[in-house]
Amino acid sequence: MVLAGKLIAELGIKTPADKFFKLYATELHELPNHCERIHHAKLHEGEDWHDTDTVKHWTYVIDGEVHTCHESIEEVDEQNKKVIWKIFGGDIEKHYKAFKLILEVSDKADGSAVVKWTIEYEKISEDINPPNAHMDFLCQNTRDVDANLGKEKVAQ
């Protein structure tokens, strides 16, 4: 009986790695402005959006259904452009004992970048499906952010 698993997706983006990473590492509160599937984000505990002691509350849509969860940052590695978040509470805990998101962004020689999302999870039972819809959600949000950051570049 396998309850733990990992999903990985890599996407090419036009936005430079530094700019994309900056949004997730230091401007997370701006994410709802870039992604139509993220309806609301607010501080639940703490005062700094990017402190590891802070808990955020998110409201988002997956497969046409509204979901909620809490999130806290476990690690930000600026040198390697990597962020790790712990996701818990809300709808997540109905299906998963553990749920972690890992973002890694790397430069390509042509000025574009590659975004790698990893979801590490542990299901509460064998009957629960892997979080494929969550990965689709992350990939679509990546495309939305890339498109919006590209528009900012043109507007400048």
Side-chain angles (χ1 to χ4, degrees):
M1 175 161 85
V2 177
L3 296 177
K6 184 186 291 192
L7 298 175
I8 299 171
E10 289 190 11
L11 296 96
I13 60 171
K14 295 176 183 169
T15 304
D18 284 336
K19 188 173 184 178
F20 190 90
F21 175 76
K22 181 182 177 194
L23 179 70
Y24 284 89
T26 66
E27 301 169 354
L28 199 57
H29 59 283
E30 293 290 332
L31 208 51
N33 297 329
H34 294 277
C35 305
E36 68 179 45
R37 288 164 193 79
I38 299 176
H39 287 193
H40 188 67
K42 67 179 181 179
L43 287 174
H44 182 70
E45 294 176 13
E47 296 180 20
D48 179 354
W49 274 82
H50 301 94
D51 190 312
T52 55
D53 293 333
T54 301
V55 175
K56 280 78 69 189
H57 180 268
W58 294 89
T59 303
Y60 53 98
V61 176
I62 293 180
D63 290 339
E65 292 184 29
V66 175
H67 295 267
T68 63
C69 71
H70 289 97
E71 163 266 309
S72 64
I73 297 170
E74 286 194 352
E75 177 187 342
V76 176
D77 180 347
E78 295 205 18
Q79 183 176 348
N80 294 308
K81 296 179 189 76
K82 179 179 179 179
V83 183
I84 302 173
W85 295 274
K86 178 182 176 186
I87 311 297
F88 56 96
D91 297 303
I92 291 292
E93 71 182 16
K94 293 176 185 176
H95 304 286
Y96 303 98
K97 291 180 188 177
F99 202 92
K100 211 177 266 198
L101 300 179
I102 302 167
L103 168 68
E104 298 171 85
V105 188
S106 55
D107 288 304
K108 288 175 59 177
D110 65 1
S112 63
V114 174
V115 173
K116 178 180 176 183
W117 283 106
T118 303
I119 299 176
E120 295 178 354
Y121 62 92
E122 183 179 351
K123 303 184 292 185
I124 59 171
S125 75
E126 212 173 77
D127 301 331
I128 302 297
N129 291 323
N132 293 316
H134 286 81
M135 183 58 83
D136 293 343
F137 170 81
L138 292 172
C139 291
Q140 185 58 54
N141 288 344
T142 298
R143 289 188 281 277
D144 291 348
V145 168
D146 186 37
N148 282 315
L149 291 177
K151 287 178 192 172
E152 289 176 7
K153 184 179 176 183
V154 171
Q156 291 176 350

